[in-house]
């Protein structure tokens, strides 16, 4: 199992993830989505495959087909407004790649690898982010498009983590993403109000675009003043997602070492991005 800092999804080859069993609700949602929303196989694959695509929206809405369809409609509308699936000319692609290359040094997160059970690990040291400079340098839509691109990279990793070679059994729920954010070293200067508002907006975007993407979020080494920032951004998350967030004053070494497979891997992860 490959583990390490800045795992590149493009280097893992094509994935063929195991699909969840199709349920009655899934069959109904699939038929309606394809008919009423013109959902295509291309979109389904971007979210993990045919059945996983529909499972995401159903889980996010307690298996209520009508509510899941409404969420999916919102998701597709946002994708269209951001031109996520638009065919770009060569010139447009090059321009976007140039913007993404400029955003990346400001971005404090990287896909670190896979946990012991195959879950993908997203890690970041938030002391590295400079919110004021970030939001003053880039347009909001540029940040949003980069975020969508970044999460789709994570979806590609999830496909690999749910492929037969990384699954101990064909049964069981889809292995999702574990997020680990180290807050050690952040300062009150980083609690930039405009930056926090944009972060809240981006998190809200994620709620609609990528339902049921995350298994658990750990916020480590949280200073006393972090609660103020959290009270601003948490409202972008629904209550069920908020329940998945663990905020600790400590580094959760024991818990995360078990999740990763060893204390050595925990130390490797925590030391990564030191020179970011």
């Amino acid at each position: 199992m490959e583990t390490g800092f800045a795992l590149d999804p493009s280097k893992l080859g094509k994935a063929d993830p195991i699909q969840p069993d199709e349920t009655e609700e899934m069959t109904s949602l699939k038929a309606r989505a394809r008919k009423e929303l013109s959902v295509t196989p291309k979109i389904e694959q971007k979210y993990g495959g045919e059945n996983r695509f529909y499972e995401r929206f159903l889980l996010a809405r307690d298996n209520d087909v009508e509510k899941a369809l409404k969420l999916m409609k919102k998701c597709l509308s946002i994708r269209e407004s951001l031109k996520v699936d638009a065919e770009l000319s060569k010139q447009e692609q090059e321009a976007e790649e140039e913007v993404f290359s400029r955003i990346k040094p400001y971005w404090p997160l990287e896909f670190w690898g896979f946990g012991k059970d195959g879950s993908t690990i997203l890690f970041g040291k938030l002391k590295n982010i400079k919110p004021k400079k970030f939001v003053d340098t880039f347009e909001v839509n540029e940040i949003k498009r980069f975020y969508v691109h970044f999460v789709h990279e994570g979806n590609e990793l999830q496909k690999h983590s749910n492929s037969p070679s990384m699954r101990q059994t064909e049964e069981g729920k889809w292995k999702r993403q574990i997020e680990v954010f180290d807050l050690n070293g952040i300062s009150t200067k980083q609690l930039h109000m405009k930056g926090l508002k944009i972060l809240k907006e981006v998190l809200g975007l994620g709620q609609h675009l990528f339902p049921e993407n995350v298994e658990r979020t750990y916020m480590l080494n949280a200073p006393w003043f972090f609660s103020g920032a959290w009270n601003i951004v948490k409202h972008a998350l629904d209550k069920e997602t908020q329940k998945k967030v663990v905020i600790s004053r400590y580094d959760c070494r024991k818990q995360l070492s078990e999740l990763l497979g060893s204390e050595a891997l925990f130390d490797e992860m925590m030391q990564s991005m030191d020179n970011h």
Side-chain angles (χ1 to χ4, degrees):
M1 185 178 299
E2 185 169 355
T3 300
F5 173 60
L7 185 59
D8 185 352
S10 66
K11 295 180 180 179
L12 295 178
K14 185 176 180 180
D16 185 21
I18 294 169
Q19 293 298 299
D21 292 334
E22 185 163 341
T23 63
E24 184 177 330
E25 292 84 3
M26 203 181 293
T27 301
S28 175
L29 179 61
K30 186 187 302 184
R32 291 190 60 184
R34 288 176 172 177
K35 181 179 179 180
E36 298 174 30
L37 304 179
S38 302
V39 169
T40 65
K42 185 176 180 179
I43 287 291
E44 294 169 353
Q45 291 305 313
K46 287 185 177 182
Y47 283 79
E50 183 177 334
N51 286 3
R52 173 57 181 160
F53 174 71
Y54 297 102
E55 181 189 57
R56 282 175 177 266
F57 292 89
L58 286 167
L59 288 174
R61 292 298 181 264
D62 296 322
N63 270 334
D64 185 310
V65 173
E66 199 65 44
K67 290 180 179 179
L69 190 70
K70 185 177 179 180
L71 176 60
M72 192 179 294
K73 184 176 181 180
K74 178 71 172 178
C75 165
L76 296 175
S77 174
I78 293 172
R79 294 183 72 90
E80 184 176 6
S81 69
L82 292 175
K83 299 181 179 180
V84 175
D85 305 300
E87 292 292 334
L88 301 180
S89 67
K90 183 178 179 180
Q91 185 176 5
E92 289 172 327
Q93 286 179 345
E94 289 174 350
E96 182 160 272
E97 287 171 3
E98 190 274 332
V99 171
F100 286 179
S101 69
R102 288 192 292 113
I103 289 178
K104 193 165 179 60
Y106 291 87
W107 196 248
L109 311 176
E110 291 282 5
F111 294 108
W112 185 78
F114 301 105
K116 184 172 68 174
D117 72 345
S119 299
T120 56
I121 307 295
L122 176 66
F123 178 68
K125 291 200 170 185
L126 300 195
K127 70 176 184 180
N128 294 330
I129 194 169
K130 299 176 178 63
K132 185 179 188 305
K133 191 171 183 181
F134 189 39
V135 299
D136 287 346
T137 303
F138 303 103
E139 299 291 332
V140 174
N141 266 16
E142 291 176 336
I143 296 171
K144 287 181 177 180
R145 284 182 62 83
F146 177 85
Y147 169 76
V148 173
H149 171 78
F150 182 79
V151 178
H152 272 306
E153 285 190 338
N155 283 347
E156 289 302 311
L157 289 177
Q158 283 191 35
K159 290 180 187 180
H160 284 278
S161 68
N162 286 279
S163 62
S165 62
M166 293 186 69
R167 291 287 296 258
Q168 296 179 354
T169 172
E170 292 189 9
E171 298 179 356
K173 67 178 183 178
W174 183 273
K175 296 185 185 301
R176 290 175 281 188
Q177 184 167 282
I178 304 293
E179 299 177 336
V180 183
F181 303 143
D182 184 7
L183 304 176
N184 187 39
I186 68 168
S187 69
T188 53
K189 291 181 180 179
Q190 290 173 284
L191 305 185
H192 181 255
M193 187 55 66
K194 183 179 178 182
L196 289 174
K197 287 181 178 179
I198 291 177
L199 174 60
K200 181 179 177 181
E201 195 173 336
V202 170
L203 287 175
L205 188 73
Q207 287 279 284
H208 291 106
L209 284 178
F210 305 102
E212 293 299 313
N213 207 48
V214 175
E215 181 69 31
R216 183 74 66 188
T217 298
Y218 295 89
M219 295 188 176
L220 315 178
N221 302 308
W224 63 269
F225 56 80
F226 176 71
S227 59
W230 177 241
N231 284 333
I232 293 173
V233 301
K234 74 177 183 180
H235 298 294
L237 308 175
D238 61 43
K239 290 183 179 180
E240 289 304 310
T241 301
Q242 289 182 36
K243 291 177 183 178
K244 298 177 181 180
V245 179
V246 176
I247 302 176
S248 175
R249 292 181 297 163
Y250 308 105
D251 64 7
C252 299
R253 167 180 285 270
K254 183 176 180 180
Q255 192 173 1
L256 290 173
S257 293
E258 174 62 26
L259 188 150
L260 295 173
S262 72
E263 288 198 9
L265 288 173
F266 171 80
D267 289 335
E268 180 185 332
M269 179 183 72
M270 295 298 287
Q271 290 165 15
S272 66
M273 299 192 79
D274 278 342
N275 298 317
H276 185 74

